[in-house]
Amino acid sequence: MLTCREVVNSADHLIERELSRRQQLAMKVHLLMCRHCRRYVRQLRALLQAIPFMHSKASDSEVRDVMEHIQSHQSESR
Amino acid sequence: MSQAALVDAMRAGDEAAFSQAVRCYTPSMLAAVWGLCDPATAEDVVQESWLRVIEAIHGFEARATLKTWLCSIAVNEARQRLRKSRREIPMDLDSASASPMEERFTSGGAWLVPPTAWAEHAVESLLERDSLQQCLEKHIAALSEDQRSVLALRDIQQMPVEDICNILQLSHSNLRVLLHRARHRIFAMVDHFMETGEC
């Protein structure tokens, strides 16, 4: 049977569906019996789903900075 | 606008299309060079990269996605600067940066310090809490350069693993180690925040 440390070390592979069927089964058996590991996997999954929303598209000022940089470069090279 | 239409418009010198590309892809390019230079230099690198894109877009062959191709240009630009400044960044795979989760287990591998039970719906509102968002940004900034790059590209930008390996010239297994450690650090940080309310 897997230890809790092994489950935690494989949790992101489980979430990203990178485990073999046998490994998945071993994880599921452990998770059925261990509430701490269930909590870890559930919370890690939620965290990984939330993180992408930290950054979205560039702001207007960032776009303006880049476009001004390009325009100044182009006017210099003319 | 589809990628092909966007590329065509950029090739034709359409300024609006270029602005659209800058808006969509600048965050990914910044994320790609995050681990290679400091934030101010990263912005400079990305601006220079967009200048290169004006010329190079005519040779874009769509073998990779536009995003991956743009990130590769930004990483190459950052690497050129590093070579000029002769700064070498060692791969962060040593034990000194091992996972902070390790100390939470007994020698037999059972939980010694189990995770805190986060409040229900805590994660849905996780990043709506400014204090946590700032804490998360602080801890991501404190990750090693390699860990920060892979976390930014994989978990924030959600880029495919193969593309990240190509952009950062990492093996699949090294990428996995770096990503795993970065996630453990971020989890441990959020867990501490949920328990104590402190960053």
Side-chain angles (χ1 to χ4, degrees), chain B residues 64-82:
Chain B
T65 64
L66 182 60
K67 180 157 93 170
T68 300
W69 182 74
L70 291 169
C71 288
S72 300
I73 289 178
V75 168
N76 286 339
E77 176 71 22
R79 288 219 165 98
Q80 275 187 12
R81 290 196 187 205
L82 279 177

Side-chain angles (χ1 to χ4, degrees), chain A residues 4-5 8-9 12-13 16 18 36-37 39-40 43 46 48 50-52 56 58 60 65 67 69-71, chain B residues 15 18-19 23 27 47-48 54 102 106 109 111 114-116 118 123 127 154-156 176 180 183-184 187:
Chain A
C4 297
R5 179 192 278 123
V8 164
N9 283 336
D12 54 349
H13 298 299
E16 296 211 58
E18 294 172 336
H36 294 320
C37 285
R39 179 187 293 166
Y40 177 81
Q43 293 180 170
L48 293 181
I51 282 180
S56 52
D60 287 343
D65 284 350
M67 296 310 286
H69 183 69
I70 290 168
Q71 280 155 7
Chain B
E15 200 170 305
F18 213 85
S19 290
R23 186 178 301 280
Q47 289 202 355
E48 285 300 309
I54 295 173
E102 276 300 308
T106 64
W111 282 104
T116 307
W118 301 352
V123 177
L127 301 171
R154 180 68 188 141
D155 289 344
I156 300 177
R176 278 288 160 214
H180 185 67
R183 286 170 171 172
H184 273 196
F187 183 92

Side-chain angles (χ1 to χ4, degrees), chain A residues 1-42:
Chain A
M1 171 147 161
L2 294 174
T3 65
C4 297
R5 179 192 278 123
E6 287 168 332
V7 169
V8 164
N9 283 336
S10 296
D12 54 349
H13 298 299
L14 177 73
I15 290 169
E16 296 211 58
R17 299 180 186 191
E18 294 172 336
L19 298 180
S20 67
R21 286 174 69 90
R22 188 183 176 82
Q23 289 168 321
Q24 274 184 51
L25 188 63
M27 290 283 275
K28 282 180 182 172
V29 168
H30 183 105
L31 291 174
L32 278 172
M33 293 186 285
C34 178
R35 66 189 171 93
H36 294 320
C37 285
R38 273 202 306 278
R39 179 187 293 166
Y40 177 81
V41 171
R42 186 177 65 245

Side-chain angles (χ1 to χ4, degrees), chain B residues 122-181:
Chain B
V123 177
E124 284 84 344
S125 60
L126 201 63
L127 301 171
E128 290 167 15
R129 293 164 68 177
D130 283 349
S131 52
L132 181 55
Q133 169 96 19
Q134 285 164 10
C135 187
L136 205 47
E137 285 176 359
K138 182 182 136 190
H139 281 264
I140 290 174
L143 291 173
S144 74
E145 292 159 328
D146 293 309
Q147 289 180 9
R148 195 163 62 234
S149 284
V150 296
L151 187 88
L153 290 175
R154 180 68 188 141
D155 289 344
I156 300 177
Q157 299 295 329
Q158 300 194 290
M159 204 176 267
V161 167
E162 287 68 27
D163 288 0
I164 302 169
C165 289
N166 287 334
I167 290 168
L168 299 177
Q169 295 174 1
L170 284 174
S171 69
H172 193 274
S173 56
N174 281 356
L175 180 141
R176 278 288 160 214
V177 170
L178 292 168
L179 187 58
H180 185 67
R181 288 186 182 166

Side-chain angles (χ1 to χ4, degrees), chain B residues 67-115:
Chain B
K67 180 157 93 170
T68 300
W69 182 74
L70 291 169
C71 288
S72 300
I73 289 178
V75 168
N76 286 339
E77 176 71 22
R79 288 219 165 98
Q80 275 187 12
R81 290 196 187 205
L82 279 177
R83 276 197 289 275
K84 280 182 194 163
S85 64
R86 294 182 182 173
R87 192 162 80 93
E88 293 289 329
I89 294 182
M91 179 69 73
D92 177 37
L93 294 168
D94 60 4
S95 57
S97 61
S99 165
M101 297 299 291
E102 276 300 308
E103 61 201 38
R104 298 177 67 158
F105 296 98
T106 64
S107 57
W111 282 104
L112 188 64
V113 185

